[in-house]
Amino acid sequence: MFFQKIITILSENWQMFLRGAAMTLYISVIGTIFGFIIGLVVGVIRTIPIPERGWRKPLLKVINWLLSAYVEFFRGTPMMVQAMVIYYGSAEALGIDMDRYAAAIFIVSINTGAYMAEIVRGGIISIDKGQFEAAHAIGMNHFQTMVYVVMPQVIRNILPATGNEFVINIKDTSVLNVISVSELFFTTKSIAGSTFIFYPPFFIACLIYFIMTFTVTRILRLIEKKLDGPENFILAGNQMQVARPEDMIRKNS
Amino acid sequence: METIIEIQHLSKTFGTNEVLRDIDFSVKKGEVVCIIGSSGSGKSTLLRCINLLEKPSGGRIIYRGEDILDEKHDIHAYRTKLGMVFQQFNLFNNYNVLGNCIVGQMKVLKRSREEATKVAMKYLKVVGMDQYINAKPRQLSGGQKQRVAIARALSMEPDVMLFDEPTSALDPEMVGEVLKVMKELAELGLTMLIVTHEMGFARDVADRVVFMDQGVIVEEGPPEQVLLNPVQERTREFLSRTLNQL
């Protein structure tokens, strides 16, 4: 009986479910990527050592203050409320008619960015001081040290936390239904509303959410493994064994 | 012989703690200088001040006639002239052995990948790690890591090599392999400044031994003099405690 209902609903509405799931995935993927980039930039800026004097000192202080305000504000308020404020606020107070999908991506990105900024900052702080010193000792400046030595390690270390953010985004895009973004929750609600059948569609939505989050988790785990490289290394062989006779002649002459 | 680094009246304080006091000291080309002394005597700080990992509180550091504490001086270019080897190796965890030895050459000295690899292989051979170019730091033993760290520093083809207690974090068995490499480098005529607790090594390899205590240089001279016939009471006291272990 239950399964029958699910199958009927699926066969009648599968396109809508699919479209909703695609929209959810689209917003959360783009939002996570943008958020990740925002987080990297903000995290890096917030860990720049403040010089003892010069014009950079006050400038950095002001920037740092603004960035902490950003992080604290977006971490400290619900995304659902932010969505309402940003989407309706931009229309009513500023007279800007925002595209609701652009607004959705903007909200998710900026929210993820706030969380990622702290994750990145933590990642940078956790890198051994010796790594910075070794990089400085071979003549790298702060920027080169960050790009070639520190950030690659930070990114590897924060991947699990990034996966967390990604999964949270897939689930939390459902709050965007308040600004009528037709993501999975919104479409499910429409299906339930038009058929007056409630729990089977939501059960289906539940499964789809789980499939999406589980797949993303697995993919990220694979990426982590790939970044770690092989468990063992290959000894570079004795070069004589691979040298061809003609190489030997050339070497001797 | 030409003086490479000259230090005049160098001082360093951490808060109210005076770690270095009025140090005058110089290194000539081709010289191997060992700095000895008990923990907290300021010898590591002296080394770290020389390549500006610690900012000196006062005094001057003259490198080939130029005052490197001058604000206009390019610190990064100066540091490429000094090869630093750390107690904790500090290999870059995100690169394999070869990567560790070429990243600085490519990004700082702007050498091509081929050229950098050629130079790196040359020095990896010197330290006997050329077979391990594909290994990541976590896959190596302490002694191997330290030899790679030495090759990384050599790959920048510096004027002076600075060693900050290179064997202090190693198992007794691995100390030997690192000291052997350093001895070979000394024989090649490299200018080396070594902070060490290895008295035997200092006696065999150093041209000059510097004994530091409580932030000042107490005594310096050829190893036979400082290690075997020290003039200062404080030096004798220190040596009687450490040489007993030999």
Side-chain angles (χ1 to χ4, degrees), chain B residues 30-34 190 202 205-209 221-224:
Chain B
E31 225 183 358
V32 177
V33 181
C34 283
L190 230 69
V205 178
D207 296 311
R208 187 150 55 96
V209 173
E224 310 83 61

Side-chain angles (χ1 to χ4, degrees), chain A residues 11-240:
Chain A
S11 62
E12 279 165 13
N13 301 294
W14 64 273
Q15 282 170 311
M16 271 186 86
F17 277 117
L18 217 57
R19 237 178 289 142
M23 182 53 69
T24 289
L25 213 51
Y26 171 70
I27 294 173
S28 45
V29 167
I30 307 264
T32 307
I33 291 172
F34 278 145
F36 186 71
I37 296 168
I38 295 173
L40 281 184
V41 173
V42 174
V44 168
I45 294 175
R46 291 232 281 166
T47 45
I48 294 176
I50 294 181
E52 284 164 34
R53 56 197 132 89
W55 57 273
R56 281 194 192 154
K57 187 182 169 186
L59 182 72
L60 260 175
K61 283 231 157 128
V62 171
I63 291 174
N64 274 345
W65 188 85
L66 286 174
L67 291 179
S68 4
Y70 155 65
V71 169
E72 296 302 338
F73 181 76
F74 281 92
R75 274 200 318 180
T77 51
M79 192 157 88
M80 195 189 261
V81 179
Q82 290 164 18
M84 298 297 270
V85 170
I86 290 173
Y87 182 64
Y88 292 112
S90 64
E92 285 166 23
L94 305 173
I96 305 165
D97 189 16
M98 246 179 147
D99 175 59
R100 63 181 83 246
Y101 298 103
I105 288 174
F106 178 74
I107 291 156
V108 174
S109 306
I110 209 150
N111 226 282
T112 313
Y115 281 97
M116 288 303 299
E118 282 302 278
I119 294 171
V120 170
R121 199 169 68 89
I124 293 172
I125 292 171
S126 72
I127 297 290
D128 180 27
K129 217 173 123 234
Q131 298 281 311
F132 290 87
E133 287 187 349
H136 288 153
I138 59 172
M140 287 189 183
N141 56 34
H142 182 74
F143 180 75
Q144 288 170 323
T145 304
M146 279 310 210
V147 172
Y148 301 117
V149 177
V150 177
M151 289 322 281
Q153 296 181 47
V154 168
I155 288 172
R156 164 62 191 91
N157 291 347
I158 66 173
L159 263 187
T162 310
N164 236 348
E165 282 302 310
F166 200 165
V167 165
I168 289 172
N169 279 344
I170 290 176
K171 296 186 297 176
D172 281 7
T173 43
S174 59
V175 306
L176 295 171
N177 79 85
V178 296
I179 55 169
S180 308
V181 174
S182 57
E183 40 67 51
L184 186 52
F185 180 79
F186 188 82
T187 52
T188 313
K189 215 168 67 172
S190 324
I191 294 166
S194 63
T195 56
F196 292 104
I197 303 170
F198 285 90
Y199 77 93
F202 282 107
F203 183 76
I204 293 167
C206 200
L207 285 182
I208 299 175
Y209 273 119
F210 180 74
I211 291 167
M212 288 195 289
T213 53
F214 190 72
T215 315
V216 163
T217 316
R218 293 288 119 177
I219 291 173
L220 278 167
R221 188 61 56 80
L222 273 181
I223 295 175
E224 273 175 44
K225 275 231 173 91
K226 182 116 196 155
L227 282 182
D228 283 345
E231 208 44 55
N232 297 308
F233 61 92
I234 306 157
L235 275 185
N238 182 343
Q239 310 217 327
M240 290 303 286

Side-chain angles (χ1 to χ4, degrees), chain B residues 198-238:
Chain B
E198 299 288 332
M199 297 304 154
F201 175 80
R203 182 189 57 208
D204 297 344
V205 178
D207 296 311
R208 187 150 55 96
V209 173
V210 175
F211 173 67
M212 282 183 73
D213 188 47
Q214 297 183 352
V216 293
I217 292 178
V218 175
E219 189 162 356
E220 68 176 305
E224 310 83 61
Q225 183 203 315
V226 177
L227 293 175
L228 302 176
N229 300 304
V231 182
Q232 302 290 332
E233 181 57 34
R234 184 68 196 87
T235 317
R236 250 176 284 170
E237 200 182 306
F238 170 76

Side-chain angles (χ1 to χ4, degrees), chain B residues 162-181:
Chain B
L162 310 176
F163 294 84
D164 187 6
E165 300 192 26
T167 58
S168 296
L170 296 176
D171 288 346
E173 281 177 82
M174 290 166 181
V175 171
E177 66 184 59
V178 172
L179 290 184
K180 189 171 148 258
V181 165

Side-chain angles (χ1 to χ4, degrees), chain A residues 53 131 133 228 231 236, chain B residues 48 71 91 95 131 138-139:
Chain A
R53 56 197 132 89
Q131 298 281 311
E133 287 187 349
D228 283 345
E231 208 44 55
Chain B
R48 291 166 60 84
E71 282 199 6
L91 290 181
Y95 292 102
Q131 286 198 315
R138 65 185 148 89
Q139 294 162 328

Side-chain angles (χ1 to χ4, degrees), chain A residues 1-12:
Chain A
M1 187 57 200
F2 174 68
F3 288 107
Q4 202 138 34
K5 244 184 208 165
I6 287 184
I7 288 163
T8 338
I9 299 233
L10 256 185
S11 62
E12 279 165 13

Side-chain angles (χ1 to χ4, degrees), chain A residues 135-145, chain B residues 51-52 73-82 108-109 156:
Chain A
H136 288 153
I138 59 172
M140 287 189 183
N141 56 34
H142 182 74
F143 180 75
Q144 288 170 323
T145 304
Chain B
N51 76 352
L52 303 180
H73 203 89
D74 183 355
I75 299 177
H76 306 294
Y78 164 67
R79 278 176 173 155
T80 63
K81 301 288 181 193
L82 308 176
V108 181
L109 301 179
M156 301 296 285

